[in-house]
Amino acid sequence: MKFWELFSVARTAPDAMLRLGDMPEWTEYLAWWHDRAALIRARDNAKLDLEMPDEACRHVLEAVPNRYWIAGGTIRGVREGTPEPTYSAVEIFDRFGGSILEEVDERGSARVPDLGG
């Protein structure tokens, strides 16, 4: 999951990105997040497009309340209280990767990737 995708998905939980300060090896990413407006203005793709460590992504995504539903080969965001089985952001990340989370949040749905199984 790219850095910009992570903070885009985490926008629904304002304090989620602050969790990057929980591990010393992630504090650089926390500093980037605090300076994200400048990174975007400067189009600093070296940082914005950096593939984040999976554990850092999971740690941040644990604080994201978004729920997802999978049906008919499509993942959709859902509201709380849906009677369907739903999945957390971490569960979707672990199963399909982080880019799909950002796509669902931006477009409302995304096709489930063919995992070759």
Side-chain angles (χ1 to χ4, degrees):
M1 182 171 210
K2 294 177 182 178
F3 176 64
W4 75 266
E5 292 171 326
L6 182 61
F7 73 72
S8 178
V9 171
R11 72 182 175 270
T12 60
D15 293 336
M17 290 297 287
L18 297 177
R19 298 183 71 164
L20 290 170
D22 292 350
M23 298 293 288
E25 61 267 31
W26 301 338
T27 56
E28 179 179 26
Y29 308 131
L30 179 60
W32 293 359
W33 180 74
H34 284 299
D35 202 28
R36 66 195 174 282
L39 294 178
I40 293 167
R41 269 193 313 277
R43 296 187 177 130
D44 189 342
N45 291 336
K47 292 177 181 170
L48 293 168
D49 289 340
L50 181 86
E51 287 292 329
M52 296 289 292
D54 287 350
E55 284 307 310
C57 293
R58 281 186 196 95
H59 193 65
V60 168
L61 293 172
E62 286 172 353
V64 173
N66 305 21
R67 300 295 298 175
Y68 302 88
W69 173 55
I70 304 171
T74 302
I75 299 174
R76 298 183 196 291
V78 295
R79 296 180 186 196
E80 286 187 43
T82 183
E84 312 293 337
T86 63
Y87 303 89
S88 70
V90 173
E91 290 170 316
I92 296 296
F93 173 83
D94 284 341
R95 192 163 170 192
F96 302 108
S99 295
I100 204 162
L101 290 167
E102 204 281 328
E103 185 176 345
V104 171
D105 286 352
E106 285 300 311
R107 294 192 173 106
S109 67
R111 296 292 300 162
V112 174
D114 179 11
L115 300 177

